[in-house]
Each structure stands twice: as structure tokens, then as C-alpha cells.
Amino acid sequence: MVRSDEEKITKNLDDFERWVLNPIRDIVYHTDKRKNHFHAFTLIAVAIDNLSNMRYSLSMKDKGKSKRFINFIKDYFPITYSKIGNNMYHDFRCEMIHNFKIRRFDIRQDSKYQHLEKVKGKYVLQSKQMFKDLFEAYTRYKKDLIGKDCKNATVREYLYYANEKGWKHE
């Protein structure tokens, strides 16, 4: 059986939801409120990293991961992230993944402060809101890939990335 490009993409995105987004959702919504959500934020950073590499595999091939990451936030996340978008790669993603700490953001599950509010020199990130924003960004990206409103250039980049990674579409 030969699958269409849309069927291949749909299967890969279903797997992404199952293996990446659903576990993050479980952590964010089903972990004791008293526990730290550092691991949820780490997985959110990894998910954005993966989506940004899928999205900009051709158009920003020579620009580096940081530019792809920042562009994905600018293009798919709510406009409220524009004030922190340039800091999200080094000060959020890299610090969490490589150093297991974060200095320029205040990560929280619940807070008396608003998501993205600046308090004592740090932007507050709340896990539930950040996951919601990630899922909405993913949904916007998915619309660019499949369905009647898909964008051919975005589909080409996705298929290029899938081919580069050796993904099998059986």
C-alpha cells in the first residue's frame, strides 16, 4: 500500500501527539501541585525544538537550531511571547536541557503572577498555560501541513526533514 503525503504526515503527527504531547499533558495536569514541574518544562522545550526543526529544515537549514527555535515561537505561539521569544532558546531551552537550571525565567505550576509577567527581573512561566500555548502552536503548524488549508512549502520542508531523519512511512 502506498500512502499519500498527507497520510504519512498524519501518521507522524499522531505519533508526536501520542509520544510527546500526551505525556506532557499528563505531567502538567496530573502531577501533585506541590511538586516541581521542571520536567514538564524540559519536555516542552524539547517539543518546541523538534517542531522547529521539522518546520524550518529547508528554509533555515544553514541558520542553526536557535534561529529555527525562535522563529517557531514567533510564527506559531501567541503574540505575547514576542517579548521573550529571543531569550527562549538560550535562556529557556539550553539552560534546562544542558544545565538543569534556569536563571532568567521563574517556572511554576501555579502562581499568583500571570504567565509571562515580569517579576523581580524574571518572566513567570506557568506549566499549564505554556502547555496550552504549545498545543495551540502545534495545532496551527498541523493546519499548515494537512487539510484544505495546507501550505505546500511547509509540507515540502516537513517531508525533507522526515527523509533526512530516515523516517519510514509504511
Side-chain angles (χ1 to χ4, degrees), residues 51-65:
L51 290 168
S52 67
N53 285 316
M54 282 186 238
R55 172 59 185 91
Y56 304 107
S57 59
L58 279 173
S59 61
M60 299 185 78
K61 186 176 184 175
D62 299 325
K63 301 285 185 192
K65 286 186 176 193

Side-chain angles (χ1 to χ4, degrees), residues 21-22 27 33 73 82 84 94 99 113 132 138 140 151 157 160:
L21 296 178
N22 290 344
I27 293 168
K33 284 185 177 186
I73 297 224
S82 63
I84 64 166
C94 291
N99 300 330
Y113 303 109
K132 181 182 175 215
Y138 164 77
R140 282 194 273 292
K151 298 178 180 173
E157 287 207 65
Y160 173 83

Side-chain angles (χ1 to χ4, degrees), residues 5 8-13 16 51 53-58 141 145 152-164 167 169:
D5 287 343
K8 294 172 189 176
I9 294 169
T10 299
K11 186 206 178 305
N12 286 343
L13 294 178
F16 184 82
L51 290 168
N53 285 316
M54 282 186 238
R55 172 59 185 91
Y56 304 107
S57 59
L58 279 173
Y141 175 55
L145 289 171
N152 290 334
T154 306
V155 171
R156 270 193 308 279
E157 287 207 65
Y158 180 90
L159 292 172
Y160 173 83
Y161 181 81
N163 187 52
E164 284 286 302
W167 292 354
H169 297 104

